[in-house]
Amino acid sequence: MVAEPDGPEERKPQPDEARSAFTPPHGTERPPLPEDGRPTSEFALPEGLSTDRQAGPGGSAFGRPGGRREDGSASRPGRTARKPHPVTAPAGPPVAIPSGVPAAVPAAPPAKGAPWQDRMRTLLRMPAGERPVPETVQRHDDSGPAVPRVLDLTLRIGELLLAGGEGAEDVEAAMFAVSRAYGLDRCEPNVTFTLLSISHQPSLVEDPVTASRTVRRRGTDYTRLSAVFTLIDDITSGDTDVTLEEAYRRLAEIRRNRHPYPGWVLTVASGVLAGSASVLVGGGFLVFVAAALGAMLGDRLAWLCAGRGLPEFYQFVVAAMPPAAMGVALTLVGSAAQWEVRPSAVITGGLFALLPGRALVAGVQDGLTGYYITASARLLEVMYFFIAIIIGVLTVLYLGVQLDAQLNPDAAPHTAERPVVQILAAVVLSFTFAILLQQERSTVLMVSLNGGIAWVVYAALHDTGGISPVAATAVAAGLVGLFGQLFSRYQFASALPYVTAAIGPLLPGSATYFGLLGIAQNNPDRGLTSLSKAAALALAIAIGVNLGGEISRLFLTVPGAGRASSRRAAKRTRGF
């Protein structure tokens, strides 16, 4: 019998291999538990799980890689653990599970009848140690998934979604859904403005596998976006068999598909959009024609600059000049011929077709959901586009002021004179906006009606009720976001096609124009006041759309049951 050493100076130091990296050194106090009473480590035992269960027949992801199990059978390195079948364990002595290692017992997954977006958002907001073990939906052989190919497919799908304007949270949810459908546990996607990455750790004792992809080019095509959502829905559905080869083939077809509308249709749609916006702010037939011609000319010039490889900033500068020039020319001709025209409506209509409402909504949504790096990049992009529009319009307005054009900054647009005409104009504006976004024909009518409802709500609150335009815009945008989420849940699709075009009638075109006119007429106080109002209206639109979507998720049935169904927000400042 060996005697124990009398003091700490006679105790031999243990090698590093004999101590766990998660065990405090000898003689130090253990750190206190958090205030909520739960450990924060992902390797801790989740609440409701027990370590007294016997080992299942399917093995565990925490076993020795490349070695042999205790029953003598060989184990494959990197093989993802699958959910064990509910069979009765054979009689025999219990197998001890090491202390601190969680048993591979899956928690209750969210309900399969809910849209995959809701299920994956729920899992993404859960701590990694509390996520249930994924049930492999696409299971085609016993060798397990090809990890590099699954990660590559996941990144390619996320690239199409991010390039199409989808929010960072939805892109991460899509990547998480694809990786779990093919059986990869412990995957962590990460999305920024132009970079996507995903990391997969086969087990706690194996090295993680990380892959990344950069988005080089972004474009607006909601038909392609809808096709990608359909592919993800098929991959995550147990009723549809989608192999990796089939998924790659469908993804290649989505990339090769041409836009549903040719270029000349987009040019005409931009002109009709500008004309409808001019009617919305009080213009007549002559104003409609002038605004449409200016917008179509600006669209063609922007296409010419894009073909020459100029950056998008200069494309916006060039596209903003023809509508402003058309308004100045109409003012000069009207003054000479004694016509009563509204040049402000012409320029405002051209601004409606250029304001980056889609990027603004996506940037504010990323900021509200905690993706601050992506939100900052998106909002910086919006700021550059807005500066480009300001430069283009101000250049023409300075020229008009030098030519003594009678541009009256007090001629504010009136919206309550012709409610029926303006409601029809709002519907047509949303309709043409949907065409510019390359939406599917089946969604164009629905989003047009949504835009008409948004304008009715805004006009009723602001013109009839006397509520401030910022508050009225926020309420109308909230309804747009609410209806868009309901439509997307019904179709199991993205909410962007049902939301982006519907906010078109609410864009702050008039406030932007009068702010630029005040600066051009050497009245910076009035100009900055109008521009501040335009910025407040833009933020009201973005926050209202996001709030409407969150309200729909708040009151609708949350998928799943128990702790796995709670959609908790991240604890950052005060820990709510």
Side-chain angles (χ1 to χ4, degrees):
M1 187 171 181
V2 181
E4 293 290 333
D6 296 334
E9 64 278 357
E10 300 180 8
R11 190 185 304 273
K12 294 182 179 180
Q14 292 181 336
D16 293 339
E17 291 80 1
R19 298 195 305 266
S20 172
F22 308 103
T23 303
H26 180 74
T28 60
E29 298 181 357
R30 293 182 177 269
L33 292 177
E35 296 179 359
D36 54 3
R38 294 195 308 269
T40 57
S41 172
E42 64 175 292
F43 306 107
L45 189 64
E47 182 179 349
L49 301 184
S50 173
T51 58
D52 297 333
R53 297 176 60 92
Q54 295 179 349
S60 171
F62 304 102
R64 303 180 183 90
R68 306 188 66 84
R69 302 189 183 96
E70 295 185 5
D71 58 358
S73 60
S75 62
R76 299 182 181 180
R79 182 172 181 177
T80 305
R82 295 182 177 177
K83 183 178 179 180
H85 297 284
V87 297
T88 304
V95 180
I97 299 179
S99 176
V101 178
V105 180
K112 290 297 184 65
W116 63 265
Q117 300 99 309
D118 291 343
R119 303 200 309 265
M120 294 304 114
R121 287 192 193 101
T122 301
L123 295 176
L124 276 176
R125 295 196 176 188
M126 295 173 59
E130 298 182 11
R131 293 173 184 169
V133 177
E135 181 179 356
T136 306
V137 177
Q138 304 296 335
R139 182 181 303 173
H140 305 288
D141 51 44
D142 295 333
S143 60
V147 174
R149 296 194 64 193
V150 172
L151 296 183
D152 179 71
L153 175 66
T154 302
L155 289 173
R156 291 178 184 271
I157 290 177
E159 178 190 10
L160 284 180
L161 293 178
L162 188 62
E166 196 67 58
E169 184 182 30
D170 293 329
V171 176
E172 284 194 1
M175 296 171 63
F176 197 65
V178 173
S179 61
R180 287 179 68 89
Y182 285 103
L184 298 188
D185 193 10
R186 290 180 299 279
C187 281
E188 289 295 337
N190 187 22
V191 175
T192 57
F193 185 54
T194 58
L195 180 65
L196 304 98
S197 63
I198 185 170
S199 177
H200 165 65
Q201 189 173 10
S203 69
L204 298 181
V205 293
E206 296 184 72
D207 295 332
V209 180
T210 304
S212 62
R213 194 172 183 89
T214 303
V215 177
R216 301 291 182 184
R217 184 186 178 99
R218 295 189 304 274
T220 303
D221 189 344
Y222 283 177
T223 300
R224 178 179 297 174
L225 190 69
S226 177
V228 175
F229 266 74
T230 302
L231 174 60
I232 299 172
D233 186 57
D234 291 341
I235 291 176
T236 57
S237 175
D239 301 331
T240 307
D241 185 43
V242 183
T243 63
L244 285 174
E245 290 75 14
E246 176 69 14
Y248 270 107
R249 184 188 64 80
R250 290 178 58 178
L251 201 60
E253 290 179 355
I254 293 173
R255 287 180 175 274
R256 287 195 302 265
N257 282 344
R258 303 186 64 180
H259 299 308
Y261 307 105
W264 67 269
V265 173
L266 300 180
T267 301
V268 174
S270 65
V272 177
L273 189 154
S276 302
S278 66
V279 173
L280 198 66
V281 294
F285 178 75
L286 182 61
V287 171
F288 176 90
V289 175
L293 291 178
M296 287 190 291
L297 181 58
D299 181 79
R300 284 293 91 190
L301 290 177
W303 276 97
L304 180 62
C305 294
R308 297 293 181 179
L310 287 179
E312 203 168 7
F313 178 86
Y314 301 105
Q315 298 175 28
F316 271 81
V317 173
V318 173
M321 288 184 174
M326 194 66 67
V328 172
L330 193 62
T331 302
L332 295 175
V333 174
S335 300
Q338 300 299 322
W339 290 348
E340 185 178 353
V341 295
R342 299 182 61 88
S344 61
V346 177
I347 303 176
T348 298
L351 291 176
F352 266 86
L354 294 176
L355 292 177
R358 173 183 60 87
L360 175 66
V361 172
V364 175
Q365 179 180 357
D366 286 342
L368 294 176
T369 52
Y371 296 85
Y372 298 118
I373 297 178
T374 307
S376 301
R378 289 186 190 271
L379 294 178
L380 184 62
E381 181 187 42
V382 172
M383 186 189 71
Y384 272 104
F385 290 162
F386 197 73
I387 292 175
I389 296 172
I390 290 175
I391 292 174
V393 175
L394 273 182
T395 302
V396 179
L397 289 182
Y398 273 123
L399 181 61
V401 171
Q402 298 301 320
L403 296 176
D404 294 330
Q406 300 300 320
L407 299 172
N408 186 9
D410 296 325
H414 301 285
T415 58
E417 298 176 352
R418 303 168 299 170
V420 176
V421 174
Q422 289 164 344
I423 291 173
L424 293 177
V427 173
V428 174
L429 191 154
S430 300
F431 179 84
T432 52
F433 203 171
I435 293 178
L436 287 177
L437 294 174
Q438 302 280 0
Q439 290 190 198
E440 291 181 305
R441 293 177 174 87
S442 59
T443 64
V444 170
L445 179 60
M446 192 66 67
V447 74
S448 302
L449 296 178
N450 199 10
I453 294 174
W455 177 257
V456 169
V457 173
Y458 168 79
L461 293 176
H462 175 55
D463 299 329
T464 305
I467 301 177
S468 67
V470 176
T473 300
V475 174
L479 289 178
V480 168
L482 177 61
F483 292 154
Q485 282 293 333
L486 294 177
F487 293 150
S488 65
R489 286 177 63 92
Y490 178 74
Q491 297 290 337
F492 284 70
S494 172
L496 285 181
Y498 300 98
V499 169
T500 306
I503 65 174
L506 304 176
L507 293 176
S510 299
T512 303
Y513 163 70
F514 286 110
L516 299 180
L517 181 59
I519 296 176
Q521 293 180 337
N522 199 19
N523 193 347
D525 293 338
R526 176 178 296 180
L528 292 178
T529 300
S530 292
L531 289 179
S532 300
K533 178 182 176 181
L537 290 173
L539 290 177
I541 292 173
I543 295 176
V545 168
N546 181 265
L547 183 60
E550 294 297 330
I551 288 176
S552 69
R553 301 190 188 106
L554 181 64
F555 290 102
L556 292 175
T557 303
V558 181
R563 291 176 54 85
S565 65
S566 58
R567 187 172 180 265
R568 292 172 291 177
K571 293 183 178 181
R572 291 187 179 88
T573 53
R574 299 181 62 182
F576 293 124

